Amino acid sequence: MPAVSKGDGMRGLAVFISDIRNCKSKEAEIKRINKELANIRSKFKGDKALDGYSKKKYVCKLLFIFLLGHDIDFGHMEAVNLLSSNKYTEKQIGYLFISVLVNSNSELIRLINNAIKNDLASRNPTFMCLALHCIANVGSREMGEAFAADIPRILVAGDSMDSVKQSAALCLLRLYKASPDLVPMGEWTARVVHLLNDQHMGVVTAAVSLITCLCKKNPDDFKTCISLAVSRLSRIVSSASTDLQDYTYYFVPAPWLSVKLLRLLQCYPPPEDAAVKGRLVECLETVLNKAQEPPKSKKVQHSNAKNAILFETISLIIHYDSEPNLLVRACNQLGQFLQHRETNLRYLALESMCTLASSEFSHEAVKTHIDTVINALKTERDVSVRQRAADLLYAMCDRSNAKQIVSEMLRYLETADYAIREEIVLKVAILAEKYAVDYSWYVDTILNLIRIAGDYVSEEVWYRVLQIVTNRDDVQGYAAKTVFEALQAPACHENMVKVGGYILGEFGNLIAGDPRSSPPVQFSLLHSKFHLCSVATRALLLSTYIKFINLFPETKATIQGVLRAGSQLRNADVELQQRAVEYLTLSSVASTDVLATVLEEMPPFPERESSILAKLKRKKGPGAGSALDDGRRDPSSNDVNGGVEPTPSTVSTPSPSADLLGLRAAPPPAAPPATSGAGNLLVDVFSDGPAAQPSLGPTPEEAFLSELEPPAPESPMALLADPAPAADPGPEDIGPPIPEADELLNKFVCKNNGVLFENQLLQIGVKSEFRQNLGRMYLFYGNKTSVQFQNFSPTVVHPGDLQTQLAVQTKRVAAQVDGGAQVQQVLNIECLRDFLTPPLLSVRFRYGGAPQSLTLKLPVTINKFFQPTEMAAQDFFQRWKQLSLPQQEAQKIFKANHPMDAEVTKAKLLGFGSALLDNVDPNPENFVGAGIIQTKALQVGCLLRLEPNAQAQMYRLTLRTSKEPVSRHLCELLAQQF
Amino acid sequence: MQFMLLFSRQGKLRLQKWYVPLSDKEKKKITRELVQTVLARKPKMCSFLEWRDLKIVYKRYASLYFCCAIEDQDNELITLEIIHRYVELLDKYFGSVCELDIIFNFEKAYFILDEFLLGGEVQETSKKNVLKAIEQADLLQEKTENMYHSKSFIGCKRAY
């Protein structure tokens, strides 16, 4: 039993709580709760009318059970009954229940609102306050509609009690925040402002919050509050520590009200009226002066309250940013706090100084604390404080201290917490670029970043270093030399290989004179990393190699040997294979002149906002990059570092290849070859059709290659413009799909590219893209023999109803495929409505006189037309509930066929096409996704949930869609994947 | 202020007050995440931390953690003193308040909080005024309790 039970003694409640506390296990607790719920239910349902006390007690028990974390689905009606009781305690419990367990049941809301209305009209201040508290606690739109018009009247009525005014002000604030449109502005607003003059400090305290919120939305209408706020603040600040009686808190007069008034003033620029301004500046000075006085108490509450006002004062000074004297005083005050023994104060001082650093008046003053801040970065034991120190270093950085700050941050990076490494990397990269005086320092810094924290160096960072090096010819030689040295480390990060590969491919010639970095040495250094790298990096290195052939003719034979190797030419990855084939052909058919033109150095990049800065802003929200955005505090920072501007020597020559070949009117917006990621290459080259991804422009050599490439049959543009209908032979003409067809199809449910089929004769590769209800697929037929295929004819067949569900247009390909050659076929696909079976691909040809035929399932499944949909948890669950008919749901429980790896699962789900929704499922192990299947006739919304059970090595997969066959089909398709 | 949570060192939630509309699921998730984060912190660490796009201000009193989530522009130190003032109010009302008082009289803890903070803003900072409001309610209550259930009334430990 409790030591204390004040006021009421709901004995039954106390006994129940004791019972729960005595439960030894969760099961026992649930059992006890269920028993109680059954008891309460029977009491509520029983014939005997319950008296108010019992009702109150049971409702209170239900509330307790709910707050323990259990669901409550009854008792609302009884709680509503309590609202209309004329006994205060019953009413109070009723209101508490409603506030905590608000239910948007419309019938109930009407009853609740009715009870509230009665209480508001009761003229009993205690009842009125209860009703206002309830509205403020619930704050729903329904309540806003019912009461938003009445509350202003209560707030400014002359006969309202102070306590009612206080509640009314904050109640109105809550409604205004939730639905501003419901609160009518009018005559009351002027009177609200005058509450700042109210005699009752509590009324002022409550009213300021409301006024601040109103000012933010309509600053002009509330301007009169400035002078009122200043005079109120001035009276408080200058009062003796005991003047305000119970509003003095540990010898600090009205700290909460002071902070709120200072916040209110931050809605406006400095007062225009000189007298008001003078009075305010006096206040601010008084606060700064008081900070230097000895404390009136040793209690932490005293210093916290006093410093709360001080920090808010400093915020206002920074907000005005017009009083140099105050800004510098503020900075000095914060400087003292930087070494305070209270961690809290050090944290806040670092945080506050960060904003001071961006003021031109105090930037220099902030800089004097650099050593203290660096020391904090090194020695603070609390990571959140170290984070603040890193932020401040970033904010105080300018040309004079950049080298010191960058090197300290690099050093910190080696031991930094994983959670903040990426952010530090971005910051270092930005500072290094922004304040680079000589670019060799910049290159060193970025390479150091990659060395120290390669995993956290995002693409933006290494793209940027390439852009800068490409645009500045004074650093190219140094960059080549440095990456060459960096690559000699036995284990170097893949990002280093990427940067190294790109830079040597462009500027390797600048260091080739040195026998230690002669062309063959450069090549073998790069190639020694090749096999350990990912596909994207290897693709980039292949581009480097072809560039080497142009830069260093002596490496041609070696490189051609590499390209010709089976591991490249027949690589399972289409991208690598294609690059190898194209580069090999290019190097053998093109004359030296053509080669030199095609493989010329990349033209300078057009200037744009640093993508790194953009990324940091995204990470931290607007304002994060402010230290760099405003150049005003650093007048010396002119365009030299505003970004990389093309230097005269490089700006003049757009790559001549464009004009020479007449492919494009203007040089493409160039990006490093690697940025046109493997998947986009073909699409970029071939088309701008509806299914094509808008992507970075292809580099000149790629565009060029597409025209040179021998197997490309006809202009693909013509193909798009005039798609020939598929010449379908009747289904009876083709054989049944090969036995493995389903298995092969399953491999492509979650991916779009790869090898669909391979035997001794033929390899079929697939590359496809889908957008909304359209798709384009490239099929590559490779003749693996040395003998020509004849009468080669691949066709697409629609079995059954599929014709009406899916339209596939194909173009006939050349009837002969030479030994070792590859032909390509483009398919345009349109999904007309939902479908279950994939189309068939029938391939027939004669090999050495013998007819060959083969039927496969074309990897086009309904999920390809998924459009991912992001939504908040709330929306997700709402939709989930809407799709609750049994036939809308399909569920499968199945054993894992592959190791259960969360990352792999995620990749598969994304490949499947749905959006992955984070923070929706309460269990972080589970996956939740959403998307819309786009067909010409209709759209099908799909929600999915995958629950792995690592212990049992099982999954449970649930699909809900608006169409029954789709749920089942998607469920079957996806279940095969894990 | 967006919400306030009270929980024990064992991670048991003792009081929750939400000033922004959130679903029950979200509330549970936030609670779980924050309780874990705060309990993992060492005693000498600072009382503030960044969490999602909010600032968390917390303080431990004996076995209970008081934890508030405030917005970017809000003042951390004054929030720390909001917590302290609330603890003082509880202490004055219950007389040397302990965790058990809050467990057994949870409804009172909510009533006191409503008098002090409303809609996430400080409504009344005067200890006297807050307790006066609660006392009045108690007086009304005692009258009715005595009328209807005089035996179940256990009595005040301390008179005001």
Side-chain angles (χ1 to χ4, degrees), chain A residues 953-965:
Chain A
Q953 288 288 303
M954 302 279 283
Y955 287 98
R956 179 162 70 185
L957 173 66
T958 315
L959 257 300
R960 285 191 177 183
T961 79
S962 43
K963 263 197 119 195
E964 172 196 7

Side-chain angles (χ1 to χ4, degrees), chain A residues 306-505:
Chain A
K306 193 170 150 187
N307 291 328
I309 299 172
L310 178 61
F311 275 105
E312 208 58 57
T313 300
I314 293 175
S315 293
L316 183 63
I317 293 171
I318 296 171
H319 169 78
Y320 286 162
D321 198 16
S322 61
E323 300 285 331
N325 172 38
L326 289 178
L327 281 161
V328 170
R329 283 193 67 186
C331 186
N332 294 341
Q333 182 59 55
L334 294 177
Q336 290 180 17
F337 285 153
L338 284 182
Q339 315 214 42
H340 202 279
R341 60 188 164 79
E342 279 265 336
T343 314
N344 288 344
L345 285 180
R346 294 198 304 274
Y347 176 96
L348 293 175
L350 289 165
E351 189 187 43
S352 190
M353 231 184 217
C354 225
T355 40
L356 264 184
S358 58
S359 162
E360 59 179 308
F361 301 114
S362 49
H363 182 72
E364 287 304 316
V366 171
K367 274 169 63 187
T368 59
H369 299 288
I370 185 166
D371 293 332
T372 319
V373 182
I374 287 174
N375 197 40
L377 189 64
K378 286 178 180 162
T379 57
E380 283 290 349
R381 273 182 296 173
D382 186 344
V383 54
S384 43
V385 185
R386 290 199 298 272
Q387 169 87 60
R388 290 285 83 83
D391 287 349
L392 177 53
L393 282 178
Y394 177 73
M396 68 161 69
C397 191
D398 63 17
R399 186 147 316 148
S400 71
N401 56 20
K403 284 202 175 171
Q404 187 187 7
I405 287 180
V406 164
S407 80
E408 290 298 343
M409 285 173 94
L410 275 173
R411 194 168 310 152
Y412 175 58
L413 196 52
E414 292 183 45
T415 54
D417 310 71
Y418 293 106
I420 60 172
R421 281 193 183 187
E422 190 184 352
E423 198 186 316
I424 302 259
V425 166
L426 290 175
K427 286 183 168 165
V428 169
I430 291 168
L431 293 177
E433 178 186 337
K434 171 104 178 159
Y435 298 115
V437 179
D438 63 301
Y439 276 88
S440 52
W441 174 71
Y442 168 76
V443 169
D444 285 342
T445 304
I446 302 295
L447 294 184
N448 266 329
L449 269 185
I450 297 177
R451 227 188 331 256
I452 295 169
D455 285 343
Y456 299 89
V457 173
S458 57
E459 292 191 330
E460 285 87 347
V461 173
W462 68 263
Y463 287 178
R464 189 71 182 160
V465 70
L466 295 182
Q467 287 177 12
I468 288 177
V469 169
T470 305
N471 288 16
R472 302 199 63 97
D473 53 4
D474 53 339
V475 74
Q476 289 161 355
Y478 181 80
K481 181 166 159 284
T482 320
V483 286
F484 178 78
E485 279 160 11
L487 283 171
Q488 307 208 317
C492 62
H493 195 272
E494 190 162 337
N495 281 336
M496 189 70 89
V497 179
K498 289 177 180 165
V499 174
Y502 190 92
I503 288 183
L504 292 180

Side-chain angles (χ1 to χ4, degrees), chain A residues 1-11 13-14 17-18 21 29 51 53 56 60 63-64 66-67 69 71 87-89 92-93 96 100 126 132-133 136-137 163 166-167 170-171 173-174 177 200 202 205-206 209 246-247 249-250 255-256 259-260 263 266 300-301 304-305 307-309 311-312 343-345 347-348 351 381-385 387-388 620 873-874 877 919-922, chain B residues 12-14 16-21 23-29 32 41 44-50 52 55 59 61 71 73-82 84-85 88 93-95 100-101 103-108 110-111 114-119 121-129 133-134 136-138 140-142 144-145 147-149 152-158 160:
Chain A
M1 290 295 291
V4 177
S5 177
K6 275 218 51 147
D8 63 339
M10 282 186 281
R11 204 183 168 78
L13 176 66
I17 296 176
S18 291
R21 288 177 52 76
E29 182 185 310
D51 61 23
Y53 169 79
K56 179 182 82 171
C60 211
L63 192 55
F64 180 78
F66 178 79
L67 291 169
D71 290 336
K87 294 191 191 66
Y88 182 77
T89 67
Q92 201 182 19
I93 294 288
L96 181 59
V100 173
T126 336
L132 290 167
H133 291 179
N137 281 329
S163 60
Q166 286 168 277
S167 299
L170 293 176
C171 181
L173 169 63
R174 174 78 195 261
K177 274 188 188 162
H200 191 283
T205 306
S209 295
D246 213 27
Y247 290 91
Y249 179 82
Y250 291 86
W256 285 280
V259 167
K260 283 185 180 190
R263 282 282 306 276
Q266 286 172 60
V300 67
Q301 283 75 28
N304 278 350
N307 291 328
I309 299 172
F311 275 105
E312 208 58 57
T343 314
N344 288 344
L345 285 180
Y347 176 96
L348 293 175
E351 189 187 43
R381 273 182 296 173
D382 186 344
V383 54
S384 43
V385 185
Q387 169 87 60
R388 290 285 83 83
K620 296 289 279 184
Q874 243 173 315
F877 287 113
N919 306 327
V920 169
D921 201 292
Chain B
K12 287 231 181 224
L13 191 59
R14 295 303 181 204
Q16 44 177 322
K17 190 79 192 178
W18 304 86
Y19 298 111
V20 284
S23 70
D24 286 344
K25 270 238 170 84
E26 279 170 287
K27 289 179 187 172
K28 281 186 184 163
K29 182 159 184 269
R32 210 171 34 229
R41 290 178 62 85
K44 286 275 167 188
M45 285 185 163
C46 89
S47 312
F48 319 123
L49 49 124
E50 281 187 335
R52 299 194 185 170
K55 299 195 281 198
K59 186 159 182 180
Y61 288 85
E71 280 150 64
Q73 295 301 311
D74 290 334
N75 188 310
E76 290 99 336
L77 285 175
I78 207 73
T79 309
L80 214 44
E81 294 320 298
I82 286 179
H84 188 75
R85 170 70 12 137
E88 284 185 349
Y93 180 77
F94 289 110
L100 278 183
D101 292 320
I103 296 171
F104 280 95
N105 303 287
F106 67 96
E107 78 281 10
K108 294 288 180 216
Y110 280 95
F111 297 148
D114 270 354
E115 294 293 337
F116 175 43
L117 292 180
L118 192 59
E121 298 284 341
V122 174
Q123 173 175 225
E124 177 55 84
T125 66
S126 154
K127 230 190 310 194
K128 248 189 250 160
N129 288 351
I134 298 289
Q136 271 174 354
D138 276 345
L140 284 169
Q141 193 154 302
E142 280 171 33
T144 53
E145 293 305 325
M147 267 158 56
Y148 286 89
H149 291 269
S152 71
F153 175 60
I154 292 172
C156 308
K157 190 165 102 181
R158 188 184 290 182
Y160 282 86

Side-chain angles (χ1 to χ4, degrees), chain A residues 61 100 102 254 334 705 729 762 787:
Chain A
K61 280 182 180 177
V100 173
V102 65
L334 294 177
L705 274 175
L762 177 70
V787 182

Side-chain angles (χ1 to χ4, degrees), chain A residues 136-153:
Chain A
N137 281 329
V138 176
S140 67
R141 194 162 173 91
E142 288 94 340
M143 288 205 173
E145 279 163 359
F147 302 109
D150 295 340
I151 296 172
R153 204 175 30 73

